[in-house]
Amino acid sequence: MASVYFDHNATTALDSNVLEAILPWLREQSGNPTSRHAYGRHSRDAVEHARAQVAEACGAYSSQVIFTSCGTEANNFAVKGMLSHRPAAQVLTSAIEHPCITRPALAMQSQGYISRQIAVDANGKVTLEALKSQLTAPTSLVSVMLANNETGVIQEIAEIAEMARTAGAFMHTDAVQGLAKLPLNFTDLNVHAMTISSHKIHGPQGAAALILDKRVDIQPLLHGGGQEKGLRSGTENVAAIVGFGAACELATANQKHYAVHTQALRDQFEQGLNTLKVRVFGSNVTRLPNTSFFSVDGIEGETLVMALDRQGYAVASGSACSSDSTEPSHVLLAMGVHADVARGAVRVSFGANNTAAQVADFLAILRNEILRLKQLTAIAA
Ligand code: PLP
């Protein structure tokens, strides 16, 4: 049975050109980038070349790129590291953040910080009015994601950053889902810090970055040999970093084509969904071009995802980034969606290698599976 991958917001396949760039670093003797000999210098040069590629892809300077092992680490570093130099005031995170933002914010409560959530509207957008009134209380940090991993909904980060700065707060954005899918520019977003991750853009797992305004004081999570200017100790994962750099360069070159291609697939898909009595979330506002998040009345998302898997289609229910997938999506609950409807949510996220034929075949299978599962539910009732 053909297997089709429609879960690109969870992770992506390694690009073959990226693999080529990585292989020598796995096959041959390579040095520790901190070593003074030729092997070490060669590795250091490779890391610095990747740093320039990453910086270029997101409108930053090389000196602003701090490599980490994953987006989760970069988000924890941003929240905990930035707060440790700030007064113990409130930390505002949007109600739809990934747990690797909300959990460190909650963890900082033990040190006197107060974690509060910023509400979103029915479309999944941060309500600027609510944020404005929350910012009247002393605030140390605001963290709002650029694009949501489930709905794909994009936030007005530059505007939010301006509000945060005016209130004297630091501003961080989790741009893990935005890199390669949207034009991304750290300077234009006006934030103090921004997270990006390699495995979401056809790079390898094991590399990510926090892009950081150098004027911001930040406390490292890891102390040790002083790598990454003392901000992230630990021997650099040279192969993964090289791959991240190569993936960034490819993603920048292909971004326009990617957006047009995946949006055409998404439009085709959602037109097909029109005939199926489903509810699509976030479709009234600007979304990532590749993402469709919908719910079928009366069918559990988990059940539909497993049925589609048996038919050879990989899609996600709720947040695939969360290990606890039986709970209804916190993103949909924050948007005011009823828990029963939220439990039926399924996410399809297209990639550059998907085709219109795959979408057409998928729609036919989806239609059959929905009918079959509805009949089963009716028999059971
Ligand atoms: N932030 C968002 C929005 C994500 O979708 C993910 C995905 O898992 C992460 C952070 C975590 O990134 P990583 O998998 O690199 O730890």
Side-chain angles (χ1 to χ4, degrees):
M1 188 196 306
S3 190
V4 178
Y5 191 77
F6 287 148
D7 197 15
H8 293 83
N9 286 9
T11 196
T12 55
L14 197 64
D15 184 281
S16 56
N17 293 303
V18 174
L19 178 64
E20 286 307 312
I22 290 173
L23 276 177
W25 296 97
L26 297 173
R27 262 203 206 113
E28 292 153 27
Q29 173 70 60
S30 69
N32 186 319
T34 49
S35 297
R36 301 274 176 220
H37 47 62
Y39 289 99
R41 289 198 306 275
H42 188 43
S43 294
R44 165 63 47 216
D45 288 349
V47 168
E48 293 315 316
H49 179 61
R51 198 185 305 281
Q53 289 171 308
V54 170
E56 173 76 24
C58 61
Y61 296 106
S62 290
S63 57
Q64 295 173 321
V65 177
I66 303 161
F67 286 120
T68 63
S69 65
C70 58
T72 298
E73 183 194 332
N75 277 347
N76 271 266
F77 177 32
V79 173
K80 294 183 168 178
M82 285 165 89
L83 280 179
S84 58
H85 285 281
R86 304 282 297 162
Q90 72 175 350
V91 187
L92 296 177
T93 62
S94 86
I96 57 167
E97 293 301 307
H98 192 276
C100 61
I101 285 293
T102 43
R103 292 197 181 145
L106 281 171
M108 291 303 281
Q109 297 206 128
S110 66
Q111 293 180 40
Y113 297 89
I114 308 152
S115 170
R116 295 206 171 98
Q117 295 204 330
I118 316 161
V120 296
D121 63 17
N123 291 316
K125 287 201 76 164
V126 160
T127 43
L128 297 185
E129 278 312 306
L131 174 60
K132 197 171 163 192
S133 67
Q134 280 177 298
L135 281 172
T136 53
T139 308
S140 283
L141 177 69
V142 177
S143 182
V144 175
M145 68 204 322
L146 175 60
N148 185 262
N149 42 305
E150 298 185 19
T151 59
V153 167
I154 297 166
Q155 305 294 338
E156 312 296 340
I157 295 300
E159 212 171 318
I160 294 169
E162 191 53 43
M163 291 166 72
R165 281 178 186 268
T166 307
F170 277 156
M171 173 75 198
H172 167 260
T173 189
D174 173 353
V176 163
Q177 294 292 344
L179 179 65
K181 296 176 183 147
L182 306 167
L184 186 61
N185 189 294
F186 178 67
T187 312
D188 290 352
L189 288 178
N190 191 28
V191 294
H192 295 93
M194 176 173 90
T195 297
I196 52 176
S197 178
S198 160
H199 75 98
K200 307 283 185 184
I201 63 159
H202 299 281
Q205 289 158 1
L210 185 70
I211 313 297
L212 184 72
D213 181 333
K214 281 192 293 177
R215 288 163 295 191
V216 171
D217 280 332
I218 191 163
Q219 178 78 16
L221 288 182
L222 300 182
H223 301 264
Q227 287 87 348
E228 299 297 290
K229 296 196 208 94
L231 295 176
R232 202 283 182 182
S233 286
T235 300
E236 294 89 338
N237 184 347
V238 179
I241 288 172
V242 164
F244 186 20
C248 276
E249 191 170 321
L250 286 167
T252 313
N254 298 333
Q255 193 272 317
K256 280 197 184 114
H257 172 74
Y258 167 91
V260 171
H261 178 68
T262 57
Q263 182 150 351
L265 297 180
R266 205 257 308 273
D267 289 349
Q268 176 194 352
F269 177 63
E270 291 190 348
Q271 269 157 27
L273 283 185
N274 274 339
T275 58
L276 293 177
K277 268 188 86 178
V278 306
R279 180 166 161 196
V280 180
F281 303 107
S283 58
N284 298 324
V285 289
T286 317
R287 282 179 293 166
L288 294 174
N290 76 321
T291 306
S292 184
F293 197 36
F294 62 94
S295 170
V296 186
D297 246 12
I299 298 178
E300 289 275 330
E302 231 8 55
T303 310
L304 186 53
V305 166
M306 286 189 291
L308 291 168
D309 181 45
R310 282 193 290 275
Q311 298 292 334
Y313 291 92
V315 300
S317 67
S319 171
C321 297
S322 160
S323 53
D324 187 4
S325 52
T326 52
E327 287 300 307
S329 150
H330 74 285
V331 175
L332 293 180
L333 296 183
M335 288 162 64
V337 175
H338 192 280
D340 289 343
V341 178
R343 265 193 205 92
V346 172
R347 179 187 70 189
V348 174
S349 48
F350 298 106
N353 295 329
N354 291 137
T355 63
Q358 288 175 336
V359 175
D361 292 346
F362 178 57
L363 278 166
I365 298 281
L366 181 62
R367 195 169 289 124
N368 287 344
E369 288 303 316
I370 290 175
L371 279 177
R372 188 178 67 77
L373 292 170
K374 282 204 165 162
Q375 277 162 6
L376 284 180
T377 319
I379 292 166

